[in-house]
Amino acid sequence: MLAVQIKPEEEILPKISGKKLFIFVCLGCQEVYFPREDVERFINNLREEIVGKALLDYLCNREFVGEYVKGYSKQIERANVILVFSCGVGVQVVSSLLEDRVVYTGCDTLYLNGFQGLTSQEFNCNQCGECYLNYTGGICPITNCPKSLLDGACGGAKNGKCEVDPEADCAWILIYKKLEKIGKLDILKKILSPRDHSKIITESLSREEIER
Amino acid sequence: MNFSEKLKSGKFLITSEVGPPKGINIDKSLDEAELLKEKVDGFNVTDLQSSVMRLGSLAVCHLLAKRGLEPIFQIICRDRNRLALQSDLLSAYVLGIRNVLILTGDHPVLGDHPEAKPVFDLDSVSLLKVTSGLIEGKDMKGNDLDGKPDFCLGAVVNPGADPLEPQLVKMEKKIEVGARFFQTQAVYDLKKFEEFMKKAEQFGVPILGGIVILKSSGMARYMNEKVAGVSVPEKYIKMMAEAKKGERAKVGIQIGAELIRDMKDLCQGVHIMPLGWERYVPELLKASGLD
Amino acid sequence: MAEMSLIDYTKFRLKPNGEVREIFKGVNRIHILSCGKCYQKFEEENEEEYTQLLKILGKEYKKIAGYTKIDFLCNNFLSKKKILSSDLSNCDSVGVISCGLGVQFVAKLLERKPVYTLADSVPQSGNSTSEVGYHGISLEKEKCAGCNQCYLNLTGGICPITDCPKSLSNGPCGGAKNGKCEVNPELDCAWVKIYERFKKQGKKLTLESVQIRDYSKPSLELKSDLSLQNQTLRGEGFYGGLYPLEKKEETKDKKIENFPEPKTAVIFLSQHTGERAKPLVKSGDKVKVGQKIGEADGFISSPIHSSISGKVISIETRVHPVSGRKDLAIVIENDGENKFDPSIQPYNDFENLSKEDLLKIIREKGIVGLGGAMFPTHVKLSPPKRIDTLIVNGCECEPYLNSDNRMMIEYPKEIFVGIRIVQKILGVKEVLVGVEDNKPEAIKSLSNFLDKSSLVEIVSLKTKYPQGAEKTLIKRILGREVPERGLPLDVGVVVLNAGTIFAIYQAVVKGVPLLQRVITVSGENLTRSGNYWIKIGTPFKDIIECCLNKGGGERFLEEYELKMGGPMMGISQESLDSSVIKGTTGLIILRKSLVKVSEERDCIKCGRCVEVCPVQLYPLYYGFYGKKGDLEKAISYNVESCIECGCCESICSSKISLLSFIKKEKEYACSSNKA
């Protein structure tokens, strides 16, 4: 799961009004961020009949969900709508396992910075497929600059702060300082752009090929 | 009568295509178009078709308009975000363009600059909606425009798509948000096209069936294999295969003319996509009796 | 189990050969840091990238001054330690083989050294209009771009943002041929899939309204707020740990009551760490309350007392609640007379007893650690090293449990007397009472009795599991790090549980041996949950009969899971004939899940166990080598330091029973140490 937020009521309620519900709640990433209390409150306030509810972790794991779907098959059979509280991955897994059933999500998912290896951290990687860190003193311009500029600052920084997100430091000022510190300012002369965006699509779509 | 009025008139319409060159030598394209001036009701100008970088559609439309031809400005969502799209539509109006065909556009990996960042900030449906908004004098955030453009909006549909249902749903949606005419993917299988028309008729919007002149049997086979919704019947492939080298264009035109004649009873016009064979369009029209 | 096709989501690969060689042209002595990778089926420990690197370099490999492999390089906390302890003095630069996260982290850490990345990240999204693609903590094909405006309700649960290369949200582009995408013919057209999905549901594809994506979502502030919140929560107090649902409300306000005496008591002779006590009675003997019926066998052992008066009916083996194996127990039939053994005499002049006398009493009265481990207290209080601080552990970080909490609320005075006794024994002035901040009443109650002049301090700790583990508690309160394989006394600390302190008070002041203890009975479907004084030896069956709605019944163990202790570290019980022992902190009764998830699964290197391990271990290896039977290898990953808190198993995304592997490995380590 990534971080999730519960959808606005007016978006979910009309979809489930008067329906018999079976509810899946994912607990897998509550250690990351999951508004468990909001979800419980929402479920408790529902007027609809709830024919069953399964709480499990790692709703993104097809194998586990498969076993739950089997275990709760009778209740699921009786429901008109399967309502899922999880990130987008969990919802897709549930609906792929219950293809002939109406599956709705109660959540919007958002991506937390740096949540790729372990939990979120101060670093972020967008997996662009061609790492620029050797030219930028180990500071990533793709993720740290809102415009993902590769060839230097846009000129909009004020007191070292980014003009798009004034809380953030201008990535290119940080890069400059870093390169200055390690005596590698000459690297800045290299022209890095334009990026190869086709890498993102071609390489991640055929992973098998990359492996070899 | 301009194109918009002709649409309303119920007249059988013919549109053709002008493919901007890769470069700045535009005279040949304009001259070829001019030859068709009296025969064709509108000229689509493609917008970086097949994700290949070329001269822009906006400029060529403007030049056509200046020569008194009726351009249909094709605009796609691949290369511009919502700011640029709205702005270019306003630019088009002040440059004398009155017809716009809105498409989503091919993905850049299919073209000659596969490294490009695809934008797709909007898609065909949302851009139609936004453009309808501009016509009413509002930008997509609801801000008032100082003077409003008036466009005749068109869209595309693929009558051979399988499954067809999602295409029809989307077509309906396009109409809902302002599409006033449709041009289709190339048609070779009239039976399929007829089935499509039966379902699409209910919408009551003019549809111009797509015509692509076959250049060879190889091309036909290639399209059958690769191009969505295109199925060239075996008899045409055979005709092309049997044609002698110098006579292929003639056979292609003959097939095209046959298709156009049959389409007359099915839909409200044809859209000819010459794909480099602009010079044969007059002959095609003559052969099909539309001259 | 059918083999699942798991996608390899490895996040990086070596840069192209030419680029690698180019980097090496500019360096003389380079140290290589290589990440152990994540999100791929864990099949073997390999150093594929490094081997490949050597191959590319040819003779240039001589420039490599050192090499360190680090698992989960992006785990800043653990990796920092490892990197800083590597010898980097003889290199002029550092090369990193990892995804961008690891490289950025190393570059920041080693600010003054040039840091090179030798790898490129592997794109995950499959979609250049939504660059970020996340696959959950699983190796499935579904992905999520975290757009914060989920479309799945409109699309039959198929995501058009990640599955359509153009991210079209208003229907297909029309370019699909035979259901395949025109951009990548290996891909099914998302919109054809959506259409088919709706057909299966007997619904028609309708496009309700025109969807226009809002790219300002999620807002930068929201993202950074959540990220920050998350980082803070993770690092709070000590590294690792979890925030399980507390579930303490059920019994936290329930006063301690006396539980009815058992008709028959089953008193195990092994209720402590160390040698089993030797029986002092035989079948047919009459015993009184508090009579010693088992003698300690050696220094690390503890005597056993009868908790009731009555007749010994047998000395036989019963299923022991900790080991799950049959173990010797004295079975006593209650005569209901409640006659006390004459040895129970209050020590009125306890203030004047010597340190040695006090220790003797504590040993004689069978006092052991009541937090669950049951280590003989007299041993703990005779440390071979100088102690400067006593920590009283009132954390009770396990969910459900309230026994220590209630003790602190109801017996603060006694606890302070107990503290004084221990202070005297250890000769320490400084005493810190650590209580989690979810027990405000206990903190208040203790504070009321706090003697200002004494050096006792009550420390309120932010709740986090397993705060109550000795090592984490010491780290949290004193900032001292107990060395690997070391004990608290190595850093001058003794930690005693609040309940144990009370038992010391009882033994020294009242002369009462450890006959009963406070136990929280809680869980699901209970009519009488609560905190009870329960006699040692009370069979679990009695407690279930009394507390569970409609009693236990024959099928109890089929329907319920009974855990002795809390849900995290507690031990699942297989027999209701087992009975309360000195280490029974609670009995938790939970309905068994309808679904039993089978257990044999592959580790996918999600790294979550590493992230929650409060002892900073890499638990994935214990499961991996445990399964392979290579216990030596597990020992090389320091399994002996594991405190068995259960965080890793509880968070394991592959549901591997890590604890059972760990226990086996620890046993093996222990026996091979002895040998």
Side-chain angles (χ1 to χ4, degrees):
Chain A
M1 190 186 296
L2 302 87
V4 306
Q5 286 187 308
I6 198 154
K7 270 186 183 287
E9 277 191 7
E10 59 272 21
E11 203 184 318
I12 323 176
L13 292 180
K15 294 207 159 280
I16 58 173
S17 124
K19 302 272 167 51
K20 288 181 189 161
L21 307 176
F22 185 90
I23 299 179
F24 275 106
V25 181
C26 179
L27 305 174
C29 292
Q30 54 179 325
E31 296 296 330
V32 178
Y33 181 75
F34 186 68
R36 187 159 177 178
E37 281 165 19
D38 292 351
V39 169
E40 267 167 28
R41 203 176 312 122
F42 182 87
I43 294 174
N44 290 339
N45 289 343
L46 281 176
R47 291 212 198 116
E48 281 67 26
E49 185 189 342
I50 296 170
V51 297
K53 188 169 123 182
L55 285 87
L56 67 153
D57 49 6
Y58 305 115
L59 201 59
C60 51
N61 187 311
R62 183 184 312 281
E63 214 181 325
F64 296 152
V65 184
E67 293 184 26
Y68 273 77
V69 163
K70 237 184 269 163
Y72 284 94
S73 57
K74 280 194 188 125
Q75 282 116 307
I76 291 174
E77 195 63 40
R78 285 183 49 218
N80 313 114
V81 166
I82 321 293
L83 184 60
V84 183
F85 293 90
S86 85
C87 76
V89 183
V91 183
Q92 290 175 70
V93 168
V94 172
S95 65
S96 72
L97 282 165
L98 292 166
E99 278 195 310
D100 51 349
R101 311 304 307 272
V102 177
V103 177
Y104 287 136
T105 174
C107 295
D108 283 325
T109 311
L110 59 122
Y111 176 79
L112 278 189
N113 287 345
F115 187 43
Q116 283 297 323
L118 296 158
T119 42
S120 70
Q121 49 207 305
E122 60 180 304
F123 306 105
N124 202 0
C125 174
N126 267 16
Q127 293 140 352
C128 61
E130 45 186 343
C131 198
Y132 294 100
L133 293 170
N134 286 345
Y135 306 107
T136 56
I139 296 162
C140 178
I142 307 267
T143 57
N144 287 310
C145 166
K147 295 180 188 166
S148 293
L149 297 179
L150 288 175
D151 292 312
C154 66
K158 191 148 181 152
N159 303 322
K161 294 291 178 188
C162 170
E163 67 175 347
V164 179
D165 176 9
E167 306 248 308
D169 291 323
C170 166
W172 275 98
I173 292 180
L174 293 180
I175 292 169
Y176 184 86
K177 283 187 186 157
K178 173 74 194 261
L179 292 177
E180 192 177 37
K181 207 182 275 177
I182 58 173
K184 299 249 175 200
L185 278 176
D186 56 313
I187 296 182
L188 287 178
K189 291 191 188 126
K190 190 173 162 71
I191 293 171
L192 294 182
S193 60
R195 248 177 91 177
D196 182 353
H197 281 90
S198 70
K199 284 197 168 178
I200 296 177
I201 190 153
T202 48
E203 298 192 352
S204 56
L205 282 181
S206 33
R207 299 189 66 92
E208 298 74 26
E209 277 169 41
I210 321 162
E211 277 161 40
R212 285 285 68 94
Chain B
M1 259 200 291
N2 63 21
F3 184 70
S4 171
E5 290 159 351
K6 283 178 184 166
L7 275 174
K8 283 180 207 147
S9 74
K11 178 180 174 283
F12 191 81
L13 299 178
I14 303 160
T15 54
S16 183
E17 221 171 60
V18 176
K22 196 178 188 83
I24 52 168
N25 293 334
I26 184 70
D27 293 344
K28 187 171 153 269
S29 298
L30 295 178
D31 291 345
E32 276 170 359
E34 197 128 24
L35 284 179
L36 296 169
K37 190 172 181 178
E38 300 304 324
K39 298 169 181 141
V40 162
D41 304 295
F43 292 92
N44 283 48
V45 184
T46 52
D47 185 7
L48 275 57
Q49 198 172 24
S50 308
S51 303
V52 172
M53 198 290 297
R54 304 161 194 274
L55 180 62
S57 166
L58 183 56
V60 177
C61 283
H62 170 65
L63 295 176
L64 286 174
K66 250 172 72 179
R67 291 203 185 187
L69 301 171
E70 178 102 28
I72 300 172
F73 174 40
Q74 294 199 4
I75 186 167
I76 60 161
C77 303
R78 178 191 58 232
D79 307 321
R80 280 159 287 197
N81 69 6
R82 58 191 83 182
L83 292 161
L85 287 168
Q86 291 181 88
S87 171
D88 279 2
L89 282 162
L90 297 180
S91 305
Y93 189 82
V94 300
L95 292 174
I97 295 160
R98 297 293 176 265
N99 313 299
V100 182
L101 185 85
I102 290 175
L103 308 89
T104 298
D106 289 325
H107 197 283
V109 301
L110 303 174
D112 67 350
H113 287 62
E115 307 84 1
K117 180 175 187 178
V119 180
F120 299 114
D121 184 12
L122 300 178
D123 61 14
S124 53
V125 177
S126 45
L127 182 55
L128 273 163
K129 187 178 171 183
V130 170
T131 315
S132 297
L134 295 177
I135 293 170
E136 274 158 31
K138 302 270 186 195
D139 73 7
M140 73 180 287
K141 295 298 286 179
N143 300 313
D144 287 327
L145 303 179
D146 183 4
K148 39 193 181 182
D150 186 17
F151 290 123
C152 172
L153 299 182
V156 295
V157 63
N158 187 346
D162 176 31
L164 183 61
E165 182 86 357
Q167 279 292 306
L168 290 167
V169 175
K170 193 168 177 178
M171 185 182 175
E172 195 177 355
K173 202 159 156 177
K174 284 175 174 174
I175 294 164
E176 218 178 279
V177 291
R180 286 164 54 194
F181 69 96
F182 282 84
Q183 292 174 327
T184 80
Q185 175 64 285
V187 174
Y188 293 98
D189 185 338
L190 281 169
K191 225 178 126 208
K192 252 194 181 168
F193 185 66
E194 200 177 340
E195 280 165 30
F196 161 77
M197 281 307 300
K198 264 186 206 149
K199 289 180 180 152
E201 248 166 18
Q202 51 168 327
F203 303 135
V205 175
I207 294 166
L208 281 63
I211 296 290
V212 170
I213 306 171
L214 285 176
K215 295 179 183 172
S216 67
S217 60
M219 173 195 183
R221 290 210 184 88
Y222 177 85
M223 288 199 295
N224 276 356
E225 196 192 326
K226 302 273 184 191
V227 182
V230 174
S231 48
V232 184
E234 205 46 48
K235 62 169 183 184
Y236 291 150
I237 299 179
K238 208 174 147 208
M239 279 167 72
M240 291 307 294
E242 283 165 2
K244 284 190 198 108
K245 210 170 175 201
E247 299 196 328
R248 282 188 195 144
K250 217 177 111 194
V251 178
I253 287 166
Q254 187 193 332
I255 294 170
E258 191 180 313
L259 287 166
I260 293 174
R261 278 198 300 272
D262 288 340
M263 266 190 212
K264 266 185 172 169
D265 304 325
L266 293 172
C267 57
Q268 211 197 318
V270 288
H271 172 58
I272 300 161
M273 296 167 266
L275 307 179
W277 274 14
E278 280 80 359
R279 59 187 184 277
Y280 292 119
V281 175
E283 216 173 305
L284 172 67
L285 294 177
K286 204 168 172 186
S288 56
L290 288 173
D291 196 357
Chain C
M1 172 143 319
E3 193 62 23
M4 299 286 294
S5 65
L6 299 177
I7 296 168
D8 181 351
Y9 277 112
T10 300
K11 299 208 156 53
F12 59 87
R13 61 161 184 271
L14 219 52
K15 273 189 178 285
N17 299 3
E19 222 176 305
V20 170
R21 286 197 203 101
E22 199 57 40
I23 293 166
F24 267 75
K25 271 186 200 157
V27 301
N28 292 315
R29 307 275 301 155
I30 188 167
H31 190 99
I32 307 290
L33 294 173
S34 175
C35 176
K37 298 194 204 170
C38 59
Y39 291 111
Q40 59 168 191
K41 193 166 144 188
F42 187 12
E43 288 177 306
E44 56 179 334
E45 267 192 83
N46 67 43
E47 296 174 2
E48 199 182 327
E49 276 72 22
Y50 185 63
T51 324
Q52 203 185 330
L53 175 70
L54 294 180
K55 215 183 283 171
I56 295 170
L57 290 177
K59 276 185 188 155
E60 289 275 280
Y61 88 91
K62 285 184 185 148
K63 288 183 171 174
I64 296 177
Y67 164 70
T68 317
K69 183 193 153 204
I70 296 178
D71 280 307
F72 309 113
L73 188 59
C74 60
N75 183 320
N76 303 356
F77 184 87
L78 297 183
S79 303
K80 184 176 172 184
K81 280 189 173 175
K82 288 203 162 184
I83 294 169
L84 295 182
S85 69
S86 313
D87 180 18
L88 301 177
S89 59
N90 63 347
C91 62
D92 57 30
S93 48
V94 172
V96 184
I97 307 175
S98 87
C99 75
L101 292 177
V103 186
Q104 290 174 76
F105 158 65
V106 176
K108 188 166 182 193
L109 182 70
L110 306 172
E111 244 182 336
R112 292 184 177 276
K113 255 195 195 11
V115 172
Y116 295 99
T117 171
L118 299 171
D120 284 325
S121 58
V122 179
Q124 305 291 328
S125 70
N127 187 325
S128 34
T129 63
S130 305
E131 295 188 20
V132 171
Y134 184 65
H135 49 78
I137 301 189
S138 65
L139 304 182
E140 316 281 0
K141 61 178 189 305
E142 284 80 9
K143 275 180 265 186
C144 177
C147 67
N148 204 19
Q149 44 204 311
C150 195
Y151 294 99
L152 293 171
N153 288 347
L154 309 172
T155 55
I158 291 164
C159 180
I161 303 293
T162 58
D163 288 6
C164 167
K166 296 180 193 168
S167 291
L168 296 181
S169 50
N170 287 307
C173 65
K177 183 107 186 168
N178 303 321
K180 295 291 180 188
C181 173
E182 67 172 350
V183 178
N184 184 324
E186 283 167 38
L187 205 71
D188 292 324
C189 167
W191 279 97
V192 172
K193 284 196 289 183
I194 292 168
Y195 167 74
E196 301 284 342
R197 175 71 55 84
F198 274 122
K199 224 160 74 178
K200 275 192 188 145
Q201 295 174 1
K203 297 205 308 189
K204 269 186 74 174
L205 173 65
T206 51
L207 299 164
E208 289 175 24
S209 52
V210 178
Q211 297 300 321
I212 300 180
R213 196 167 150 191
D214 180 353
Y215 284 89
S216 67
K217 269 181 161 186
S219 71
L220 283 171
E221 296 92 60
L222 179 67
K223 271 173 71 165
S224 49
D225 276 5
L226 284 177
S227 295
L228 199 66
Q229 184 186 333
N230 197 301
Q231 285 170 33
T232 338
L233 218 58
R234 284 271 104 240
E236 208 154 56
F238 55 92
Y239 174 82
L242 294 173
Y243 296 90
L245 282 190
E246 293 176 6
K247 301 271 189 188
K248 289 183 188 269
E249 317 75 45
E250 174 83 14
T251 57
K252 81 174 170 36
D253 296 323
K254 293 194 174 161
K255 281 209 171 114
I256 307 174
E257 289 176 46
N258 287 321
F259 194 81
E261 288 204 351
K263 287 202 183 70
T264 311
V266 178
I267 301 176
F268 285 98
L269 284 161
S270 184
Q271 299 197 36
H272 45 261
T273 311
E275 290 298 315
R276 179 191 301 123
K278 283 185 185 151
L280 294 174
V281 292
K282 56 183 188 306
S283 188
D285 283 1
K286 285 248 177 188
V287 293
K288 292 182 178 149
V289 180
Q291 182 182 332
K292 187 150 77 170
I293 54 174
E295 184 55 277
D297 187 11
F299 182 58
I300 302 186
S301 181
S302 185
I304 303 289
H305 303 78
S306 176
S307 57
I308 55 172
S309 70
K311 196 172 84 181
V312 176
I313 51 173
S314 73
I315 299 177
E316 59 180 49
T317 59
R318 296 281 184 111
V319 178
H320 193 280
V322 175
S323 68
R325 292 191 278 265
K326 291 237 174 178
D327 207 336
L328 213 56
I330 298 176
V331 184
I332 301 167
E333 195 177 50
N334 201 334
D335 59 12
E337 290 172 21
N338 213 20
K339 272 190 227 137
F340 276 64
D341 191 74
S343 69
I344 300 181
Q345 293 296 333
Y347 296 91
N348 291 325
D349 61 341
F350 73 91
E351 302 274 10
N352 298 321
L353 290 173
S354 71
K355 174 184 162 185
E356 287 70 29
D357 289 339
L358 290 170
L359 274 173
K360 212 176 133 203
I361 294 170
I362 288 170
R363 179 190 148 112
E364 256 325 285
K365 298 297 180 187
I367 309 301
V368 301
L370 296 189
M374 301 184 289
F375 191 77
T377 303
H378 65 274
V379 182
K380 209 178 208 178
L381 294 180
S382 320
K385 289 186 184 170
R386 209 185 74 80
I387 300 299
D388 57 44
T389 311
L390 167 69
I391 292 180
V392 178
N393 186 350
C395 290
E396 201 164 42
C397 52
E398 274 268 8
Y400 287 101
L401 302 187
N402 273 307
S403 50
D404 284 349
N405 183 24
R406 288 311 306 180
M407 296 280 277
M408 291 187 283
I409 294 170
E410 296 179 38
Y411 302 103
K413 223 163 127 185
E414 290 80 354
I415 289 174
F416 279 112
V417 177
I419 289 175
R420 274 217 313 280
I421 295 166
V422 179
Q423 271 179 308
K424 187 168 176 186
I425 296 172
L426 292 173
V428 298
K429 290 208 181 77
E430 200 173 348
V431 181
L432 298 161
V433 185
V435 187
E436 289 201 331
D437 61 0
N438 59 358
K439 304 175 189 65
E441 256 196 280
I443 294 174
K444 208 174 122 201
S445 151
L446 289 173
S447 306
N448 285 342
F449 283 88
L450 192 62
D451 180 359
K452 296 267 151 52
S453 64
S454 75
L455 281 170
V456 180
E457 193 189 328
I458 294 159
V459 190
S460 166
L461 304 168
K462 268 230 169 270
T463 304
K464 187 183 187 183
Y465 179 87
Q467 187 126 248
E470 286 186 342
K471 289 181 184 180
T472 43
L473 189 60
I474 293 169
K475 172 91 218 264
R476 174 75 183 78
I477 295 188
L478 294 171
R480 296 184 196 170
E481 198 116 8
V482 179
E484 274 180 20
R485 295 168 209 225
L487 291 169
L489 60 90
D490 292 323
V491 291
V493 183
V494 162
V495 182
L496 283 177
N497 172 270
T500 314
I501 298 272
F502 181 85
I504 291 173
Y505 159 84
Q506 281 267 317
V508 173
V509 179
K510 304 280 182 196
V512 182
L514 194 47
L515 305 177
Q516 60 177 5
R517 63 159 299 149
V518 178
I519 294 173
T520 300
V521 181
S522 188
E524 293 163 349
N525 205 18
L526 297 179
T527 41
R528 292 193 55 203
S529 60
N531 303 296
Y532 298 102
W533 280 112
I534 302 186
K535 287 277 162 84
I536 304 294
T538 305
F540 293 157
K541 204 188 285 171
D542 292 12
I543 300 169
I544 289 154
E545 281 304 321
C546 172
C547 298
L548 187 74
N549 187 21
K550 292 180 195 148
E554 294 277 293
R555 294 165 51 84
F556 173 79
L557 282 175
E558 281 169 43
E559 288 168 31
Y560 294 91
E561 161 141 47
L562 175 65
K563 271 201 164 179
M564 185 179 90
M568 296 294 294
M569 284 184 86
I571 300 164
S572 286
Q573 299 299 310
E574 301 296 331
S575 162
L576 297 184
D577 291 334
S578 293
S579 63
V580 168
I581 56 172
K582 292 174 183 176
T584 309
T585 51
L587 281 180
I588 307 303
I589 296 160
L590 297 170
R591 275 217 183 81
K592 274 197 176 152
S593 163
L594 214 69
V595 178
K596 198 157 163 31
V597 176
S598 47
E599 270 159 17
E600 284 300 308
R601 261 163 239 272
D602 293 308
C603 171
I604 60 165
K605 294 191 105 176
C606 71
R608 301 208 80 194
C609 56
V610 178
E611 186 203 354
V612 298
C613 177
V615 209
Q616 303 167 20
L617 302 171
Y618 291 78
L620 68 157
Y621 289 110
Y622 307 140
F624 183 69
Y625 286 114
K627 218 181 260 185
K628 284 195 162 180
D630 191 349
L631 305 188
E632 287 293 342
K633 200 82 189 177
I635 292 171
S636 75
Y637 282 99
N638 203 10
V639 71
E640 287 151 282
S641 293
C642 169
I643 56 167
E644 297 177 34
C645 65
C647 285
C648 55
E649 179 165 323
S650 124
I651 204 146
C652 175
S653 67
S654 293
K655 309 232 178 276
I656 299 168
S657 357
L658 288 165
L659 271 184
S660 64
F661 287 120
I662 287 170
K663 281 178 183 161
K664 251 181 247 161
E665 287 154 6
K666 279 173 86 174
E667 251 172 59
Y668 177 78
C670 202
S671 62
S672 57
N673 278 351
K674 272 181 197 157

